[in-house]
Amino acid sequence: MGSCLGCHPYSNYPQLKHSSLPAGLVDRPSTRSLHLVTCGPSMVRCAEQVHHQSAGEGPRIPASCFMHGVSTFDDWQHGDRRVSNIMSAEREQSLGALPMDSWMTHMPPSLWDTPLYHLAIPGSHNAITYCLDMNHTCPVDLAQPDMLQKLDRCMKPLIRPFLYKWAITQEYSVGQQLNCGVRYCDLRIAHRPNDRSTDLYFYHGVYTTLTVEMVLGEIREWLDAHPKEVVILSFSHFLDVSSELHTLLLASIRHIFSSKLCPKMEALTLRKLWSAGHQVIVSYEHIITSRHRYLWPHITYWWANKCKAEDLMEAIERRKQRGRPGGFFVTGINLTEDLKYICTHPTESLKDLVMSSNPKLLRWVNKQTPGSKPDSLNIIAGDFITEGHFAPTVVALNDKLLQHP
C-alpha cells in the first residue's frame, strides 16, 4: 500500500508551452488531468466554469475537452454532448485527485460557501506520536493504569518494546501529515512529572521529545506557505496541566498564530475564512473556552473502542442513527487494541493491525456522505494517515455535495 508523501504543489510540475494548451494550464502527470495554476475568486476551476474572469481575457475551454477532441470554442459553446459527458466524468473524480497539500485552495467555487462542518475533512488521531521519547528514563504517562506503571518500573526492558509498538499512531511529522491532506489534528497535552520547567508535551503511553511550542511553530510555518488552507487543532485530554500552564499555553497559541486564529462565528465557510485571513480553528477541552473568543468548544469524537474493523463500522452505524451534532464532529476509524489482542499477537504492532484493516475501512468511508443530513459525517480521523489513500478518499466524499448540494 503506497504512501501519499509524494504529493507536491502545482509549482513542482512542468508548465506546458502556450502552443500546446491554453495559457494558465499545467499538466499534472500523476493523474493526467489538467488544472488551473491559479485558483481563487478571480479564476474558476476549468472543470466547473468556461470563462476566465480576469479583465481582458477571453473564454477558456476546459482542458479535458482538448484531450477528447473538442478543439474550438464553438464546439464548447454550442453544447457538444461530448463536453457534457467529459465534464460530468471529471466532476466525479476531481476532488480526490486534487493535490493533497492544497486541496482546500483548489475546492470548486460551489463549495466555498458550504460550512466547514458540512464538508468531509481528513483528520489525524493522536497526531503527535511520531516523536515519542524512547529513552527509558522517560516515565510512562500518568493516564496509564497503575498496573502498567508498576510493571514498567520493574520490567522496563520487557515492557517498553510492547508499549512503543502499540503507542505510535503516526510515523510522519505534522508538516508531512498536513502535506498529505490532514486538516484536523488530535493534540493531547501533558506536563511531564517532576519537570520543573513550564514546557508542555504530547503523550500517548509515554511523552514526546518535541514540546507543544515546537510543533505549533512547525504548523505556523506550514500555514505561511499555504495561505488558503485551514487547520483545526483540537487540544484535549489535558494531563497534569495547572491553571498557570493553561494560561501560558493560551499565550503561546496567540503569539504563534496571531491573526490566523479564527474567532467563534456562525456559518464558518472557506470564503469567510479566506477574506478574513483566518487559518486556524482552536478547539479546547476546558471550561476556559467561554472566556476567549478564539477558543472553540471541544469537538465531539465518535470513538468506537473496537479492535476489529467490522465491529467499529457497526458501532458507528448505530451511532449515526441518533443523528449528527450540529457543528464540527469527528468520526474515528482508529482501531483500539485490548490486552487480549496484544497477548495473542505478540509479534504484531498497531500499524500491522491498521494496515490489515485499512482496505475494508476505506471501502466503508467511501460509502459515507458529508453534509447536513442526520446520518452525514464531517471530520474522519484515523491512524497512520500517510499510508494508502486515506486523505484522498475522505476529500473525494465532497464530490457528493456537488451532485446533491
Side-chain angles (χ1 to χ4, degrees), residues 87-242:
M87 298 302 290
S88 176
E90 237 186 42
R91 276 196 295 271
E92 290 293 322
Q93 305 174 31
S94 61
L95 300 187
L98 292 175
M100 286 296 104
D101 72 319
S102 54
W103 65 266
M104 285 182 165
T105 304
H106 297 93
M107 287 286 269
S110 56
L111 295 180
W112 291 355
D113 295 308
T114 301
L116 262 62
Y117 40 81
H118 290 166
L119 294 178
I121 298 174
S124 175
H125 168 250
N126 258 315
I128 319 297
T129 56
Y130 53 86
C131 55
L132 293 180
D133 196 336
M134 300 294 185
N135 191 323
H136 285 187
T137 61
C138 176
V140 170
D141 75 60
L142 298 179
Q144 298 305 311
D146 290 341
M147 179 60 72
L148 178 59
Q149 296 190 45
K150 290 177 181 177
L151 288 173
D152 182 68
R153 284 194 292 269
C154 301
M155 308 168 62
K156 200 179 296 287
L158 179 63
I159 296 298
R160 282 300 173 98
F162 279 93
L163 184 60
Y164 295 137
K165 286 198 306 180
W166 295 97
I168 295 172
T169 60
Q170 310 295 341
E171 291 182 319
Y172 291 95
S173 74
V174 68
Q176 290 170 313
Q177 292 179 49
L178 293 171
N179 279 336
C180 285
V182 162
R183 295 296 177 268
Y184 164 91
C185 294
D186 173 20
L187 307 176
R188 307 189 179 201
I189 313 298
H191 184 253
R192 286 196 186 204
N194 304 317
D195 185 354
R196 295 183 180 181
S197 78
T198 57
D199 290 335
L200 293 175
Y201 297 84
F202 306 93
Y203 72 98
H204 190 224
V206 294
Y207 302 91
T208 58
T209 56
L210 296 180
T211 66
V212 172
E213 190 170 3
M214 290 175 182
V215 170
L216 297 186
E218 182 179 354
I219 294 172
R220 169 61 195 248
E221 290 179 3
W222 188 90
L223 290 169
D224 286 341
H226 300 81
K228 294 183 73 175
E229 298 301 300
V230 178
V231 298
I232 303 165
L233 305 180
S234 178
F235 293 79
S236 67
H237 294 75
F238 292 102
L239 184 61
D240 202 25
V241 178
S242 65

Side-chain angles (χ1 to χ4, degrees), residues 253-254 257-263 277-282 294:
I253 291 172
R254 285 195 302 269
F257 295 116
S258 187
S259 61
K260 292 185 183 293
L261 288 171
C262 176
H278 299 320
Q279 290 183 269
V280 182
I281 297 164
V282 172
Y294 65 89

Side-chain angles (χ1 to χ4, degrees), residues 198-330:
T198 57
D199 290 335
L200 293 175
Y201 297 84
F202 306 93
Y203 72 98
H204 190 224
V206 294
Y207 302 91
T208 58
T209 56
L210 296 180
T211 66
V212 172
E213 190 170 3
M214 290 175 182
V215 170
L216 297 186
E218 182 179 354
I219 294 172
R220 169 61 195 248
E221 290 179 3
W222 188 90
L223 290 169
D224 286 341
H226 300 81
K228 294 183 73 175
E229 298 301 300
V230 178
V231 298
I232 303 165
L233 305 180
S234 178
F235 293 79
S236 67
H237 294 75
F238 292 102
L239 184 61
D240 202 25
V241 178
S242 65
S243 297
E244 177 189 2
L245 291 174
H246 274 291
T247 300
L248 292 173
L249 174 56
L250 294 181
S252 181
I253 291 172
R254 285 195 302 269
H255 173 72
I256 291 171
F257 295 116
S258 187
S259 61
K260 292 185 183 293
L261 288 171
C262 176
K264 285 173 278 197
M265 64 173 70
E266 296 293 329
L268 187 65
T269 67
L270 287 174
R271 191 188 299 273
K272 282 188 175 182
L273 289 164
W274 290 343
S275 65
H278 299 320
Q279 290 183 269
V280 182
I281 297 164
V282 172
S283 164
Y284 207 84
E285 189 184 26
H286 195 275
I287 194 171
I288 203 171
T289 55
S290 61
R291 304 203 295 268
H292 297 270
R293 60 190 295 267
Y294 65 89
L295 292 184
W296 292 65
H298 176 61
I299 296 175
T300 300
Y301 195 111
W302 288 358
W303 176 48
N305 193 20
K306 304 294 183 182
C307 66
K308 293 183 178 180
E310 296 84 357
D311 294 340
L312 181 146
M313 292 183 290
E314 182 181 346
I316 294 177
E317 289 295 340
R318 286 199 304 269
R319 180 60 186 84
K320 284 169 58 181
Q321 292 174 10
R322 307 208 305 266
R324 56 155 292 162
F328 289 114
F329 76 104
V330 183

Side-chain angles (χ1 to χ4, degrees), residues 378-392:
N378 176 211
I379 301 165
I380 301 176
D383 293 330
F384 302 100
I385 54 80
T386 55
E387 299 295 330
H389 303 283
F390 171 75

